[in-house]
Structures are given as structure tokens and as C-alpha cells.
């Protein structure tokens, strides 16, 4: 809103954008993305609110900016199934299954059973060569494997978010965002309501 | 009240489908909507004038502007 005062956290979309760009130059920056996992969880567990979504989520702001201000969105309603509990929780479960597969692959590299793959996997399927963003690490290869895997998760969710931004409302990613679903669930449990 | 019988428009949230993202809170010019305990958006009917900005913004499209009898 034009008449509402901007706060520092209204510019966190810059951090989100920077994060995505850094991944093209040095994949190890992908580790920073863990902040987008732990901060919302800590807020919902600690305070029982979704102020991460409500205020600080740079990804949501980025979609709001590109889809809203720049108008790259049809601004249509999301289909009914997309906001259903079944789809939202189903996507949460699927997302975390894929996350654990990624952690398992990281473990395999740490244990020496598998070699580092300098690849970013888009939409859990397409393996994009990404060796240009890897310049070695002082640590174990597994540290880099996690970075490739985690960046895959972040890029995949950004691409999905951009697609639904164009097709539906700018921030339609928020409807099925696994972190949003999870923090809402935590808040619900914390407040003592079962529905 | 002088116009006690006139119906007024208010935002109504389908709380069962609300994802509590807070987009509505950001656009409300009167701060008449807030996220209740991280679970759903809650409209203060005393402040809401039914402008419809939240309904347009809501990514899940779960806010409707409805006429309500004045109380």
C-alpha cells in the first residue's frame, strides 16, 4: 500500500533474489537457505504465530512484486483442489519425502559410498549441470552435496511458485507452500485447536 | 443509529480454507484484518468497510465481500 509505511522487512525480497543469484556463482551459499526453514519453525514453535509468512518471507514478497507490481500474473483464482487440505498436506508430505531423499544422498557422499554430483535437480526430475558454481570446498564433499541438493529444493519451489504466480494470483505459492502449511499446523496444535 | 436498517458490506473469511499467509493484512488500509494465532485471518467487523482489497489480494481467494445487517 502506498499510504502504509515501509519497514525494513518489506525489502527481504532482495535477500531472496540475492540468494537465488548467488547459487549461480557459488553453490555453497545454498546453505544460507536453511534460514528459510529454521526461522519460520522457530517463530511458530516459540511464539505460535505465522509472522514469518506474514512479514518476513522474501519469497512471497518477490512473487507479490513480480506478479502484482510488474503484473506478470493472470490474477485468477487458484483451482479449488489446490487450496484443499488434502493437496496442501499431501504436497507437504511429498516435499519432505523428497527432502529426506536429498539428505540421504548427502549422507551417502559423507560416508564415501557415493561421489559428489555437481548437479542441480529441477522439479525432482531434470538434472541440470551446475559445475560452474562449484570451486571446491575446504570441507568434506558432503558439504557441497548438501548445497547442490538444497539449492535444488529452493530452485524447484521457486519455479513452481513462478508458474502458479503467472497462472493464478501472484502469491498462490503461499497456498501450498510446505513451510506455510507446516507452520500453520504447528500454530493450530499450539493453540489447542484440533481443526 | 440513524441508518440501522441499511446493510453494510464486510469482508468474510472462509477460515477452513485460509492459509494465514497475511497478504490481506498487508493491503488492508484500515488494519481491520489480522492473523489470529497463525491459523486464519480475522476481520474486525467494526473497522471493516468492505473495500474488497483483501479479497482481491487473497492468494487462496477465500475472502468474500458480503452484505451484513448492521448491528
Amino acid at each position: 500500500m502506498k499510504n502504509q509505511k515501509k519497514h525494513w522487512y518489506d525489502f527481504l525480497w532482495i535477500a531472496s533474489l540475492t540468494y537465488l543469484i548467488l547459487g549461480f556463482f557459488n553453490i555453497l551459499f545454498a546453505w544460507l537457505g536453511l534460514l528459510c526453514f529454521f526461522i519460520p519453525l522457530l517463530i511458530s514453535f516459540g511464539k505460535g504465530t505465522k509472522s514469518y509468512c506474514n512479514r518476513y518471507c522474501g519469497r512471497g514478497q518477490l512473487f507479490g512484486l513480480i506478479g502484482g507490481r510488474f503484473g506478470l500474473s493472470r490474477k485468477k483464482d487458484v483451482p479449488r483442489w489446490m487450496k484443499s487440505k488434502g493437496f496442501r498436506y499431501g504436497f507437504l508430505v511429498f516435499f519432505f519425502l523428497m527432502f529426506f531423499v536429498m539428505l540421504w544422498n548427502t549422507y551417502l557422499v559423507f560416508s564415501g559410498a557415493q561421489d559428489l554430483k555437481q548437479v542441480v535437480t529441477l522439479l525432482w526430475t531434470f538434472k541440470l549441470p551446475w559445475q560452474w558454481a562449484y570451486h571446491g570446498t575446504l570441507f568434506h564433499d558432503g558439504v557441497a552435496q548438501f548445497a547442490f541438493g538444497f539449492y535444488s529444493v529452493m530452485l524447484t519451489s521457486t519455479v513452481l511458485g513462478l508458474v502458479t504466480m503467472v497462472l493464478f494470483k501472484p502469491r498462490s505459492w503461499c497456498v501450498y507452500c510446505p513451510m506455510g502449511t507446516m507452520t500453520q499446523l504447528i500454530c493450530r496444535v499450539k493453540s489447542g485447536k484440533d481443526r | 443509529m440513524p441508518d440501522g436498517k441499511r446493510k453494510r458490506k464486510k469482508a468474510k473469511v472462509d477460515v477452513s480454507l485460509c492459509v494465514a499467509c497475511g497478504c490481506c493484512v498487508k493491503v488492508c488500509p484500515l488494519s481491520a484484518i489480522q492473523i489470529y494465532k497463525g491459523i486464519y485471518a480475522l476481520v474486525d467487523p467494526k473497522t471493516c468497510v468492505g473495500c474488497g482489497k483483501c479479497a482481491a489480494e487473497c492468494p487462496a481467494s477465500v475472502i468474500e465481500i458480503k452484505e451484513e445487517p448492521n448491528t
Side-chain angles (χ1 to χ4, degrees):
Chain A
M1 282 308 298
K2 281 179 209 88
N3 53 355
Q4 273 169 5
K5 197 175 156 267
K6 288 261 187 211
H7 300 89
W8 64 270
Y9 50 73
D10 291 317
F11 298 95
L12 285 170
W13 60 270
I14 299 172
S16 268
L17 188 62
T18 310
Y19 175 81
L20 287 170
I21 293 168
L22 283 174
F24 280 81
F25 292 94
N26 193 328
I27 198 68
L28 294 176
F29 283 113
W31 277 84
L32 288 174
L34 281 176
L35 292 171
C36 308
F37 270 63
F38 284 114
I39 296 173
L41 287 177
L42 285 175
I43 292 176
S44 58
F45 270 120
K47 285 176 47 193
T49 72
K50 288 224 328 172
S51 44
Y52 187 83
C53 297
N54 303 164
R55 282 188 173 166
Y56 309 116
C57 179
R59 154 117 22 137
Q61 291 171 13
L62 196 59
F63 291 146
L65 200 68
I66 303 172
R69 180 94 64 90
F70 300 153
L72 220 74
S73 169
R74 295 197 310 155
K75 300 197 172 111
K76 302 273 185 199
D77 292 352
V78 294
R80 196 185 294 261
W81 56 266
M82 200 178 256
K83 51 186 164 184
S84 69
K85 285 210 165 59
F87 178 73
R88 289 181 64 211
Y89 287 122
F91 188 69
L92 173 68
V93 169
F94 171 75
F95 201 83
F96 270 84
L97 277 178
M98 292 297 125
F99 192 79
F100 285 120
V101 169
M102 184 276 282
L103 286 181
W104 174 248
N105 283 323
T106 304
Y107 164 74
L108 288 179
V109 172
F110 266 114
S111 70
Q114 225 173 60
D115 288 332
L116 170 66
K117 291 193 188 74
Q118 296 178 34
V119 156
V120 163
T121 312
L122 196 60
L123 299 166
W124 311 282
T125 315
F126 307 106
K127 306 226 184 286
L128 312 176
W130 214 266
Q131 70 286 348
W132 69 76
Y134 184 58
H135 321 285
T137 165
L138 295 170
F139 314 100
H140 196 278
D141 267 2
V143 172
Q145 185 61 65
F146 178 79
F148 279 110
F150 198 76
Y151 193 73
S152 303
V153 170
M154 297 300 274
L155 199 64
T156 295
S157 50
T158 306
V159 166
L160 279 179
L162 285 172
V163 170
T164 52
M165 173 196 82
V166 172
L167 290 178
F168 312 115
K169 298 263 184 104
R171 281 184 67 160
S172 34
W173 164 253
C174 301
V175 176
Y176 60 99
C177 168
M179 290 313 296
T181 307
M182 190 157 57
T183 49
Q184 189 184 26
L185 188 67
I186 293 166
C187 290
R188 212 171 247 156
V189 170
K190 261 195 81 113
S191 80
K193 288 197 170 185
D194 45 4
R195 256 188 63 82
Chain B
M1 273 202 204
D3 52 357
K5 289 215 170 131
R6 212 171 72 197
K7 295 195 167 178
R8 294 216 172 155
K9 289 185 169 175
K10 305 273 178 213
K12 259 252 187 298
V13 182
D14 181 349
V15 292
S16 68
L17 289 175
C18 177
V19 301
C21 62
C23 295
C24 49
V25 179
K26 279 190 185 169
V27 292
C28 181
L30 294 171
S31 308
I33 194 161
Q34 52 164 320
I35 301 298
Y36 175 74
K37 291 186 174 178
I39 309 174
Y40 53 78
L42 188 67
V43 181
D44 173 11
K46 286 204 178 77
T47 320
C48 178
V49 293
C51 71
K53 281 186 175 159
C54 54
E57 192 75 10
C58 178
S61 309
V62 295
I63 306 180
E64 268 187 297
I65 304 300
K66 279 190 176 161
E67 283 195 341
E68 264 195 1
N70 225 345
T71 44

